[in-house]
Amino acid sequence: MTAVTLAAPGAALRYAPPIEAELDHLAATLGAVPALAERYPLRWLAVQLLEGDEQLLAEAESLGGPAVTAALAASRERLAPHYGEDLDVALVDQRYRFVHALAGQALTRPAAPPLTLSDRIDQVVTHRWLGIPIFLALMWVVFKITTDVTAPFVDWIDATLSGPVSGWVAALLSAAGLGGSWVEALLVDGVIAGVGGVLVFVPVLLALYFALALLEDSGYMARAAFVMDRLMHALGLHGKSFLPMIVGFGCSVPAIYATRTLDSRRDRILTGLLVPFMSCSARLPVYVLIAAIFFPAHAGLVIFALYLTGIAVAIVIGMLLRRTLFRKQPPAPFVLELPPYRLPTLRGVWRQMWERTAAFVRKATTIILATSIVVWLLLAVPVRGEGRFADTPVEQSAFAAVAGAAAPIFAPLGFGAWETSGALLTGFVAKEVVVSTLGQTYAVAAAEEEAVTPTTFGEDLLGIAGGLVSATGEALRALPGVVGITLEAPEEETAPEGLAAAVQAGFEASSGGHGALAALAFLVFVLLYTPCMTAVAAARHEFGSRWMWVSIVGQFVVAWLVALLVFQGGRLLGG
Amino acid sequence: MRELTIALAGNPNVGKSTVFNALTGLHQHVGNWPGKTVERKEGRLILGAHQITVVDLPGTYSLAARSLEEQIARDFIVRERPDAVVNVLDAANLERNLYLTAQLLEAEARLVLALNMADVAAARGLRLNPEALAAALGAPVVVMTASKGQGLAELKAALRDLVAASGRRAAAATLKEVAR
């Protein structure tokens, strides 16, 4: 390796003669201010002032007084005929020319630069026309994996929890002399139904985080940000904003913290306000449940459309915000490093899947357990009728009273029933609670109808193991469908039963016979409304109380308006 | 003996942290999450009789104070006036990296250029001409591959020369003061 030392005088960067003349003038004026001359190199300070550095301008004017202001104005005036409004651009441009010439001296490039594997992949993946279709195709694959491939495991966990596990708890309580008491009701209908209803989505999250980890670790995520830069600029955002946005598909909370990677406060806040419109994974359980009930044949398509709707709303809101609240602040330029592609390691991918899913489960067993119990208590306390504690009809409970009071707000959207408004209320605690609350409000009424065949512990274990094996088989058969190949004939639609039937009947009733449309409006509302309290707390931490309230109120209004558009618009179109 | 300060400046992902570790021997995590080096990192370097504080500045593409990182880097270079600035560059992306160099030059920093990742540049068929660069900038230029420990001795030697010259200048300045 070589080291070269030369004592030649620095070949300073020279600008065009008219600029140099003004730099000399300015440096002389600035040099007359001792406080400035002591603190800054004068020529450098003059360059910054001409380039329009507001912070230094304020400092120079406060220390140097009107003389500095006048000298700067005079210099700008004399330079205006040469460069017009674009003096700052001219300075940067001339600096780049200097750099280009310098690089030309210091570097000999090979006639035909050898392409690395990364370069060759990038030629396709970041291609002008192919880039965005490839990006969308990859997103499509991710969501097929999280819906179709995981579905058998979801069913398996659900069956295990609602069947054998609930049975064991009931048997244990009977042995302790508590059979049929409110304790059993609390454990089976509150704890197992609530937390269990969330745990069934662990396979969905594992799959989602698996896909995200692959995209991140391979280096594709940075390309996605690059490819999406043009779209991000349409939002008045930085291409880097796309990273938090993508993280937002997993969870809004880390996404809001990920806005720290952005350079300007304007970009951070604007991105932070738009992140919750990216449909987080906790909302996915709601989509999966409702879409499976109302649109069984097109569930994947409906869910994909919801994700796109979130993006579209973010685009519109972003443009509105840019022209209103953020009008005065221009966006920062886009610089993004594209790391070379790497093969993701199994260990790295597994660690991310595990840590993120474990964080979700921890949340499920603390916040959500508490909410489930509160909701169960509200359901257990009678406010009307003849019911006793833990033995009251749902429609006479305290929960129905609270939710019923809020229901009229949602009537124009087609889901003004207390069951759905109650679920939306608890959804503020965490979005996935919407599912467990729906499970409680609708299924509590239907629970008695199920006939239970007594089984032994051994039979239960065999049944659980057998269920896992067949779920794995089904998931493997669903894999080719991820890229659009269907090996099997589509399953015949089965009539929804239990919860599904109750939810369907509820939406039909509240919408005056437009159940599917109301369900769609409900899904759109869940997609867009006020983020969960954890995300709100993160927003407050990062951006302050004021922006937190903008997020809480603003998103509720946006969600209400868009859902109204879907329901009433759909009815006008004859849906 | 006067306490000397050297700053490390450069774009993100150019191996600046590796150079910092090699100079100071201080254990430090090397990562490339944006904003990772926002906090100020310091280490000690002994060069002959000199104790030198080495400050690792945040990785930036420019010195315009648009971001927190750029603000930190710029304020340090312009206001604290370190005795030398080691500008670490990715030799495989020289032109892009030289923009920061131009701004450092303009800020009247006393530069030492470290053209890092020379192995990657060589693999891409790039031929570096450090002599021409040194002549054009009037600053010492060291070619190195910090990840393999190559070029570190040369960097230290260049710094030692600079420190010696700075000592002579300081002495001359003191003499002038006294004479006055």
Side-chain angles (χ1 to χ4, degrees):
Chain A
M1 300 278 150
T2 34
V4 185
T5 314
L6 275 173
L13 159 56
R14 312 298 295 180
Y15 295 96
I19 295 180
E20 282 297 331
E22 297 309 327
L23 287 178
D24 288 343
H25 277 295
L26 277 175
T29 311
L30 295 166
V33 184
L36 286 175
E38 258 168 45
R39 195 178 292 178
Y40 295 112
L42 293 170
R43 179 186 151 87
W44 176 83
L45 184 59
V47 172
Q48 307 308 311
L49 293 184
L50 280 186
E51 216 172 312
D53 188 303
E54 288 176 13
Q55 199 189 335
L56 285 172
L57 178 65
E59 193 178 339
E61 286 187 329
S62 80
L63 291 171
V68 168
T69 316
L72 190 61
S75 290
R76 284 183 175 281
E77 184 118 334
R78 285 190 292 270
L79 288 172
H82 299 276
Y83 304 106
E85 294 285 296
D86 296 330
L87 181 57
D88 53 342
V89 178
L91 284 163
V92 173
D93 181 53
Q94 291 180 23
R95 205 173 288 135
Y96 269 116
R97 275 185 216 179
F98 168 79
V99 164
H100 183 70
L102 203 58
Q105 285 173 279
L107 198 65
T108 317
R109 291 185 172 86
L115 280 182
T116 63
L117 183 61
S118 268
D119 291 338
R120 262 173 277 165
I121 297 174
D122 274 340
Q123 278 183 343
V124 178
V125 163
T126 61
H127 186 270
R128 222 185 134 90
W129 304 114
L130 293 177
I132 290 180
I134 288 174
F135 168 76
L136 288 178
L138 281 171
M139 292 295 119
W140 172 250
V141 168
V142 169
F143 294 113
K144 289 294 270 186
I145 288 175
T146 53
T147 51
D148 293 4
V149 177
T150 60
F153 295 105
V154 171
D155 293 343
W156 170 70
I157 293 181
D158 185 33
T160 304
L161 282 173
S162 62
V165 173
S166 296
W168 297 338
V169 170
L172 278 176
L173 288 170
S174 292
L178 289 166
S181 71
W182 66 268
V183 178
E184 184 185 325
L186 171 62
L187 284 180
V188 173
D189 297 336
V191 177
I192 296 180
V195 172
V198 171
L199 286 182
V200 292
F201 294 101
V202 163
V204 178
L205 293 179
L206 277 174
L208 179 71
Y209 289 135
F210 169 73
L212 283 182
L214 279 187
L215 291 177
E216 276 171 9
D217 288 4
S218 64
Y220 179 75
M221 211 62 122
R223 272 73 183 181
F226 173 77
V227 165
M228 298 310 285
D229 182 48
R230 220 180 316 168
L231 178 63
M232 291 292 107
H233 257 88
L235 291 172
L237 284 174
H238 196 275
K240 264 192 203 168
S241 300
F242 203 73
L243 275 120
M245 296 285 191
I246 291 199
V247 175
F249 286 119
C251 177
S252 301
V253 176
I256 285 168
Y257 285 111
T259 59
R260 286 181 183 184
T261 58
L262 286 154
D263 294 330
S264 77
R265 183 169 159 79
R266 169 200 181 274
D267 285 344
R268 281 198 291 272
I269 294 177
L270 191 48
T271 308
L273 288 178
L274 298 182
V275 153
F277 290 120
M278 300 299 113
S279 183
C280 73
S281 59
R283 279 171 257 190
L284 186 57
V286 188
Y287 307 158
V288 172
L289 177 76
I290 301 290
I293 293 173
F294 288 93
F295 316 100
H298 309 287
L301 194 66
V302 167
I303 293 170
F304 188 63
L306 280 167
Y307 278 88
L308 290 183
T309 306
I311 297 169
V313 170
I315 291 173
V316 173
I317 301 289
M319 293 211 269
L320 283 177
L321 285 174
R322 189 162 54 106
R323 295 203 178 131
T324 53
L325 290 175
F326 296 92
R327 198 175 48 232
K328 285 178 188 149
Q329 296 139 302
F334 180 66
V335 185
L336 185 79
E337 190 97 31
L338 296 186
Y341 286 100
R342 281 166 311 211
L343 265 184
T345 62
L346 264 179
R347 227 179 101 190
V349 171
W350 170 248
R351 213 189 53 225
Q352 292 195 50
M353 284 167 69
W354 177 249
E355 279 175 9
R356 293 172 180 188
T357 308
F360 169 82
V361 171
R362 273 198 298 278
K363 212 169 106 184
T365 48
T366 52
I367 301 173
I368 296 170
L369 178 64
T371 324
S372 289
I373 291 172
V374 168
V375 170
W376 179 84
L377 274 175
L378 284 172
L379 281 164
V381 174
V383 289
R384 283 197 307 269
E386 303 294 307
R388 288 175 299 110
F389 179 68
D391 188 21
T392 181
V394 188
E395 60 273 18
Q396 293 173 7
S397 67
F399 184 82
V402 172
I409 302 173
F410 305 109
L413 315 182
F415 46 90
W418 70 269
E419 291 95 337
T420 41
S421 68
L424 291 173
L425 286 180
T426 54
F428 174 67
V429 174
K431 298 284 174 170
E432 56 271 30
V433 182
V434 171
V435 167
S436 55
T437 307
L438 280 177
Q440 282 181 319
T441 54
Y442 281 116
V444 167
E448 268 72 39
E449 294 158 25
E450 287 170 29
V452 181
T453 323
T455 48
T456 67
F457 187 67
E459 284 170 355
D460 281 347
L461 285 184
L462 276 178
I464 293 170
L468 179 59
V469 171
S470 73
T472 311
E474 281 178 49
L476 288 176
R477 282 198 298 280
L479 266 178
V482 162
V483 284
I485 309 161
T486 313
L487 293 182
E488 299 167 80
E491 276 180 53
E492 276 181 43
E493 276 182 52
T494 50
E497 50 182 1
L499 175 62
V503 169
Q504 193 153 30
F507 273 88
E508 290 291 347
S510 66
S511 63
H514 300 278
L517 206 51
L520 209 55
F522 182 76
L523 286 177
V524 167
F525 191 85
V526 168
L527 164 73
L528 301 174
Y529 87 121
T530 308
C532 72
M533 61 180 192
T534 320
V536 163
R540 178 159 178 254
H541 183 199
E542 288 298 287
F543 315 125
S545 293
R546 190 174 139 233
W547 291 110
M548 176 190 77
W549 284 108
V550 168
S551 173
I552 291 178
V553 178
Q555 282 194 236
F556 190 91
V557 171
V558 167
W560 195 86
L561 289 174
V562 178
L564 184 78
L565 197 70
V566 168
F567 184 65
Q568 300 296 354
R571 288 191 59 185
L572 279 178
L573 293 174
Chain B
M1 178 101 338
R2 197 168 66 92
E3 180 83 4
L4 294 173
T5 306
I6 290 177
L8 286 188
N11 288 10
N13 306 315
V14 295
K16 209 157 54 64
S17 291
T18 314
V19 174
F20 177 70
N21 288 342
L23 283 179
T24 62
L26 194 79
H27 184 73
Q28 187 195 25
H29 179 70
V30 182
N32 63 356
W33 191 249
K36 190 111 183 198
T37 47
V38 156
E39 75 268 37
R40 174 172 164 159
K41 284 182 191 135
E42 279 193 14
R44 298 225 143 248
L45 167 66
I46 313 279
L47 272 187
H50 292 272
Q51 274 244 344
I52 298 170
T53 306
V54 182
V55 179
D56 189 17
L57 296 177
T60 62
Y61 296 101
S62 99
L63 282 191
R66 271 191 311 262
S67 70
L68 194 60
E69 287 85 354
E70 289 177 354
Q71 181 95 50
I72 292 169
R74 185 176 97 174
D75 284 354
F76 190 85
I77 284 161
V78 175
R79 296 207 184 137
E80 314 281 322
R81 309 245 178 127
D83 297 276
V85 175
V86 176
N87 180 196
V88 184
L89 295 95
D90 173 1
N93 290 295
L94 193 60
E95 185 160 337
R96 191 192 72 201
N97 280 246
L98 279 171
Y99 187 78
L100 180 69
T101 310
Q103 290 194 314
L104 288 168
L105 207 64
E106 223 167 26
E108 297 174 22
R110 282 169 25 80
L111 287 181
V112 176
L113 264 64
L115 305 187
N116 196 21
M117 306 194 186
D119 55 342
V120 181
R124 293 203 191 152
L126 299 171
R127 282 217 319 277
L128 297 167
N129 188 346
E131 293 84 0
L133 196 56
L137 295 175
V141 176
V142 180
V143 177
M144 62 193 301
T145 304
S147 59
K148 295 176 186 161
Q150 292 166 349
L152 283 165
E154 288 86 346
L155 177 61
K156 283 188 189 173
L159 285 173
R160 196 175 296 126
D161 291 348
L162 212 64
V163 162
S166 144
R168 275 198 302 278
R169 253 201 320 280
T174 318
L175 277 179
K176 261 189 230 162
E177 290 279 312
V178 172
R180 227 184 268 170

